[in-house]
Amino acid sequence: MKNNCCNLYFLSTIACRLSECLDENELAILSANLTTLGYMIESLQAQKSVCKEK
């Protein structure tokens, strides 16, 4: 398994920078949208996996 420390550092840096230039409402909306995107990608991956098994 690949070491994800670089990814964590990168994501942490992005989060800090966004928090500096967006207000609380904008951050809440962005967070909700990114969470939704993550769930959608997870769902698509599961559907692809099921289709490959058939």
Side-chain angles (χ1 to χ4, degrees), residues 1-18:
M1 184 178 227
K2 189 172 138 180
N3 185 335
N4 290 324
C5 290
C6 290
N7 289 344
L8 293 175
Y9 177 75
F10 181 67
L11 291 172
S12 175
T13 301
I14 291 172
C16 288
R17 296 299 295 241
L18 286 171

Side-chain angles (χ1 to χ4, degrees), residues 11 13-39:
L11 291 172
T13 301
I14 291 172
C16 288
R17 296 299 295 241
L18 286 171
S19 72
E20 293 171 354
C21 61
L22 298 176
D23 66 31
E24 287 184 26
N25 290 330
E26 292 169 324
L27 282 172
I29 291 168
L30 178 60
S31 176
N33 286 338
L34 291 174
T35 298
T36 300
L37 175 62
Y39 287 137

Side-chain angles (χ1 to χ4, degrees), residues 27-53:
L27 282 172
I29 291 168
L30 178 60
S31 176
N33 286 338
L34 291 174
T35 298
T36 300
L37 175 62
Y39 287 137
M40 290 175 144
I41 291 170
E42 187 177 351
S43 176
L44 289 170
Q45 287 178 321
Q47 290 175 16
K48 282 183 180 182
S49 177
V50 169
C51 289
K52 284 181 183 179
E53 292 176 6

